[in-house]
Amino acid sequence: MRTRMLALTSAVCGAALLGAAAPPASASGSASGSAQEPEADAGVVTAAELLAEVRACSRISKGRYRTDSGSAKATVPVCGTRDAVFWKADMDIDCDGRKTRACNRKTDPYFLPETAFQSSRGEPLDSAALPHVVVPGPSKVWDYRKSGLTGGSVVAVVYRDRVRYGVIGDTGPTGIIGEASYAMAKSLGIDPDPSTGGAESGVTYIAFKNSRISPIESRARAQSRGAALAREFVGRS
């Protein structure tokens, strides 16, 4: 919900280093032998599989979006498939919502103590703890609500070889796209600092239609529902 600024080049480099050093999304955290790992990961949809499904864009937006408030041109279309909506952009950091040690007016000069969608307790979402994505506010360019999306809709976010699942948790400026929460950035190995972090490009957002989970703050439900939807999306159901 905040007005976003252009990402700093130094922050982008830092994000790239973090992403390069991070293990693949499908890597097992178990200490078991490598011979068992392929079987354990057999049901995991990879970044490559998801990206293969969104190579071509059937544009559903009436225009294109800028990635930052200072961008000279609007270059990002919103694309659609039968089951999902997707866009490829940068990632700016959304720290709005519940005030925490990571997200507050000192860490983020554009901090707002609210989110467009609230938790099951009627409170702002915790951007530092909940992986979520920001969609542009409804406009003539595109209205997310007409695409079967709302707060709590499940989203897969792909960055390099990582796939992470979350929900739509906030709305932003009507002319800008490419923003996600502190927690989502951190889970992808992107610098989550709201002032200097983010990724300049290379982030793919896939929002699944009619996929709302409840409660919106349940990371476990977003993960399980997202994994199942991803399998269907790539034809593994």
Side-chain angles (χ1 to χ4, degrees):
M1 295 179 64
R2 62 189 174 86
T3 301
R4 294 183 288 161
M5 306 298 288
L6 286 169
L8 297 179
T9 302
S10 60
V12 175
C13 294
L17 289 173
L18 282 171
S26 59
S28 171
S30 169
S32 58
S34 58
Q36 297 178 353
E37 290 178 2
E39 181 178 352
D41 292 343
V44 175
V45 175
T46 66
E49 287 178 290
L50 285 172
L51 293 177
E53 296 296 320
V54 296
R55 285 176 180 168
C57 174
S58 177
R59 194 174 83 182
I60 61 172
S61 59
K62 293 183 179 179
R64 297 173 185 266
Y65 287 93
R66 290 178 170 81
T67 56
D68 294 287
S69 59
S71 298
K73 295 182 179 180
T75 59
V76 180
V78 176
C79 313
T81 71
R82 183 186 66 179
D83 302 314
V85 170
F86 67 91
W87 57 95
K88 301 176 183 181
D90 64 344
M91 181 182 286
D92 292 323
I93 309 302
D94 181 24
C95 228
D96 294 338
R98 182 180 175 183
K99 183 179 178 181
T100 62
R101 182 176 181 180
C103 294
N104 55 69
R105 294 189 186 280
K106 291 183 178 179
T107 61
D108 182 2
Y110 302 98
F111 174 79
L112 292 174
E114 58 190 32
T115 49
F117 306 106
Q118 298 181 322
S119 73
S120 58
R121 297 180 295 277
E123 301 172 346
L125 300 180
D126 185 346
S127 292
L130 180 67
H132 69 74
V133 166
V134 180
V135 292
S139 71
K140 293 181 179 179
V141 176
W142 177 55
D143 185 339
Y144 65 88
R145 299 170 299 184
K146 295 180 179 180
S147 294
L149 304 178
T150 188
S153 291
V154 177
V155 182
V157 183
V158 182
Y159 181 67
R160 297 184 175 177
D161 60 355
R162 287 192 168 194
V163 180
R164 295 293 182 266
Y165 301 103
V167 294
I168 292 176
D170 204 356
T171 59
T174 57
I176 297 175
I177 203 167
E179 186 174 7
S181 70
Y182 181 106
M184 178 62 82
K186 186 175 181 180
S187 72
L188 288 163
I190 294 172
D191 182 358
D193 189 292
S195 295
T196 61
E200 190 175 54
S201 63
V203 184
T204 299
Y205 304 81
I206 305 171
F208 298 104
K209 298 177 180 179
N210 305 310
S211 63
R212 180 178 178 271
I213 63 163
S214 182
I216 190 174
E217 67 269 21
S218 175
R219 294 186 64 166
R221 291 189 182 185
Q223 171 63 36
S224 60
R225 182 76 173 130
L229 289 168
R231 286 193 293 272
E232 293 177 10
F233 190 63
V234 302
R236 286 227 234 142
S237 58

